Amino acid sequence: PPTLTFYHDFSSPWSYLASLQVEAVAAAAASGVKVEWVPILLGALFKEVGTHNTPIATMSPAKRDYATRDHADWCRWWGAPFNFTSH
């Protein structure tokens, strides 16, 4: 059967949202699609490509505010509980 490889890091708020939908996406895509869950460390990937460990910290205030609102909007849309930690 076809495989949907899902690379995820649960320290990522976007990965968290995707993790809640990936099985439904696979089920809707085709009969018998299997999800392969592959954990990754985004921090290690960011380091390897020379990106700040938390990219949102390097964004302008306007872009950071937009990204935060966008994530909150998607959380509401999918009914996903989410709160950023204070640390």
Side-chain angles (χ1 to χ4, degrees), residues 32-78:
V33 172
K34 177 182 177 262
V35 176
E36 176 187 12
W37 292 72
V38 180
I40 63 170
L41 296 173
L42 279 176
L45 176 63
F46 291 153
K47 183 177 180 180
E48 183 68 25
V49 299
T51 302
H52 191 276
N53 193 37
T54 51
I56 198 166
T58 63
M59 295 177 183
S60 69
K63 188 171 182 178
R64 187 172 42 250
D65 290 347
Y66 174 80
T68 302
R69 280 193 317 273
D70 189 38
H71 187 267
D73 289 345
W74 280 109
C75 286
R76 277 190 296 282
W77 174 262
W78 292 115

Side-chain angles (χ1 to χ4, degrees), residues 1-2 23-34:
E23 295 287 349
V25 168
S31 179
V33 172
K34 177 182 177 262

Side-chain angles (χ1 to χ4, degrees), residues 4-26 35-38 42 71 74-75 77-78 80-82:
L4 170 61
T5 304
F6 177 58
Y7 296 91
H8 64 94
D9 181 338
F10 287 107
S11 69
S12 164
W14 292 102
S15 181
Y16 163 70
L17 279 177
S19 74
L20 300 177
Q21 301 301 319
V22 69
E23 295 287 349
V25 168
V35 176
E36 176 187 12
W37 292 72
V38 180
L42 279 176
H71 187 267
W74 280 109
C75 286
W77 174 262
W78 292 115
F82 183 84

